[in-house]
Amino acid sequence: MIVWRIAWRDVRRGWASGGVLLPVAFFLLVATLFPFAIGPDAATLARVGGGVIWAAALLAALLPVERLIAPDLDAGVLDQLAVRGVALPVVALAKLIGHWAGFAPPLMAAAVIAAGLFGLSGPALLRVELGLLIGTPGLAALAVVTAALTSGLRGAGALAGIVMLPFAIPIVIFGAGSLGGVGAAGALKLLGTVSLLLVAGAPVVAGAAMRMSQD
Amino acid sequence: MTRLALAGVACARGGRSLFAGVSLALGAGDAAVVTGANGAGKSTLLRVAAGLLAPVAGVVERDGSVALLSEAAALDAERTLRDALGWWAGVDGTAGRIAAALTATGLADLAEVPVRWLSTGQRRRAGMARVLVQDADIWLLDEPANGLDTGSVAVLEGIVADRRAGGGIVVVATHLPLAMPGAMQVAL
């Protein structure tokens, strides 16, 4: 099926160009820098650790935005798919799946290392991983929409951050909120809702944006 | 029945009118050569014919599958030529045509070379190989002779003639002379 074909191509291209290691290395670097900045107090680190992991995950999801759609637009791949009657929302959905499969599983593996740096307990790590599993599809959806919106522009990296980060606020709030304290279970459900909405809406919005850059 | 018809097509880019009143009707075995100065709208006309752009006025009717050779080859630069063609063959379900397409475009020896190492002319021929693999009824070729040496131009003319003989339609936008007997001339 065409969706899996495009998604798999993106995953393969991501791995081949080292594009998967980059977000993971970035994620670990951010997670490593925080303990240096905050200080070695174990209790403080354990308290902020989950939130830092979430912020780092958001930034890591944003990193490959420039190579999600713009290269395919320039290389004429989107034109070729359109000529074959593949609808652009279908392409966007495939990009979403490919992006998620490329960055989320390595990120979740790296989160285990990051949890070690912050001294998170076993149950806390489990909550972080569960939250990431639910929230990363939403982050991938945001990244694909941003990539589509900025695909026709030059030097869109900084702009992409400004476009995407405000929309990611609910994911970070509910993701970090699900780590503990009052209403943690509710936060996880809200995280799932936001993520689902983003995943459902992203193909349509990204498809329309790609259509505009194609003209 | 393979058919491509444009009736009174007009197009504008960035608020500037490029051309208006372009009409042509092509059936199986027909061809058209689109000529014009740089920026006259040759590529735009092909994109309109392919259905990628909506015309400002006029009607485009297509009956048959479309293959488009645009400026970019749309082949993954880091993969070998055979694998890059293979991805599109997978999309089209035409994997059996890769070897013949490579031979027809004189690229058989370069099948295992990554696409990014190909020269300008070789990349152009690789794009043509992609069109051959697709096995479409209507070919829309944008400057297919760009960067080709004399021998390769003759090969290209042969490929186009073969497609027409096989009941296909070929529309070529070019600023280089190409021998296409009986082709309709569209001057923008």
Side-chain angles (χ1 to χ4, degrees):
Chain A
M1 210 167 95
I2 189 73
V3 170
W4 302 117
R5 217 175 264 284
I6 298 171
W8 174 239
R9 169 175 174 269
D10 276 19
V11 172
R12 202 185 37 71
R13 276 169 70 95
W15 281 102
S17 63
V20 172
L21 288 177
L22 205 66
V24 170
F26 180 80
F27 171 81
L28 281 177
L29 201 67
V30 172
T32 311
L33 283 174
F34 255 86
F36 287 123
I38 293 175
D41 178 39
T44 312
L45 284 179
R47 199 158 54 77
V48 301
V52 171
I53 290 177
W54 265 100
L58 169 61
L59 295 175
L62 181 66
L63 263 194
V65 154
E66 268 186 293
R67 57 171 185 78
L68 281 182
I69 288 174
D72 280 354
L73 182 73
D74 294 340
V77 172
L78 296 184
D79 284 348
Q80 291 298 329
L81 289 169
V83 160
R84 286 161 173 80
V86 181
L88 286 171
V90 173
V91 177
L93 176 67
K95 294 265 164 201
L96 201 171
I97 295 170
H99 179 39
W100 184 86
F103 94 93
L107 198 76
M108 288 171 67
V112 176
I113 303 173
L117 289 170
F118 290 103
L120 293 187
S121 67
L125 172 62
L126 205 64
R127 279 200 298 276
V128 168
E129 292 286 5
L130 185 62
L132 284 177
L133 186 66
I134 296 173
T136 43
L139 291 180
L142 271 179
V144 168
V145 169
T146 310
L149 282 170
T150 56
S151 58
L153 309 173
R154 301 221 172 276
L159 182 65
I162 294 170
V163 170
M164 176 173 162
L165 289 177
F167 289 100
I169 289 173
I171 292 189
V172 176
I173 290 177
F174 296 133
S178 72
L179 298 177
V182 185
L188 204 61
K189 287 176 188 153
L190 284 168
L191 177 65
T193 311
V194 173
S195 192
L196 200 63
L197 276 175
L198 288 171
V199 170
V204 181
V205 178
M210 280 194 269
R211 173 85 224 175
M212 282 193 284
S213 10
Q214 229 176 2
D215 272 1
Chain B
M1 187 64 191
T2 308
R3 202 171 80 88
L4 174 68
L6 279 66
V9 167
C11 209
R13 299 291 276 160
R16 194 171 59 92
S17 173
L18 282 177
F19 53 80
V22 175
S23 297
L24 59 95
L26 302 170
D30 290 344
V33 178
V34 183
T35 53
N38 296 141
K42 298 190 291 290
S43 305
T44 306
L45 181 64
L46 288 198
R47 289 177 69 80
V48 168
L52 293 173
L53 270 182
V56 176
V59 183
V60 180
E61 286 175 41
R62 273 183 312 276
D63 197 354
S65 52
V66 173
L68 173 71
L69 177 71
S70 52
E71 194 187 343
L75 297 168
D76 291 346
E78 77 283 1
R79 305 196 78 180
T80 65
L81 180 55
R82 187 192 302 281
D83 289 347
L85 287 172
W87 192 80
W88 286 111
V91 172
D92 297 322
T94 53
R97 297 174 57 88
I98 295 175
L102 284 170
T103 309
T105 48
L107 293 168
D109 292 341
L110 300 170
E112 306 307 329
V113 173
V115 172
R116 67 169 182 276
W117 289 355
L118 299 181
S119 73
T120 309
Q122 286 167 345
R123 217 169 283 209
R124 208 76 203 120
R125 276 147 62 193
M128 204 55 222
R130 195 203 65 234
V131 170
L132 273 170
V133 168
Q134 196 186 339
D135 193 22
D137 303 315
I138 303 169
W139 283 7
L140 304 171
L141 311 179
D142 190 3
E143 301 287 0
N146 253 11
L148 296 192
D149 53 47
T150 327
S152 301
V153 170
V155 169
L156 171 68
E157 287 166 347
I159 292 173
V160 168
D162 277 355
R163 178 70 274 196
R164 292 174 66 190
I169 293 174
V170 183
V171 179
V172 176
T174 183
H175 69 274
L176 298 166
L178 272 181
M180 290 169 60
M184 183 183 168
Q185 299 290 325
V186 180
L188 294 182

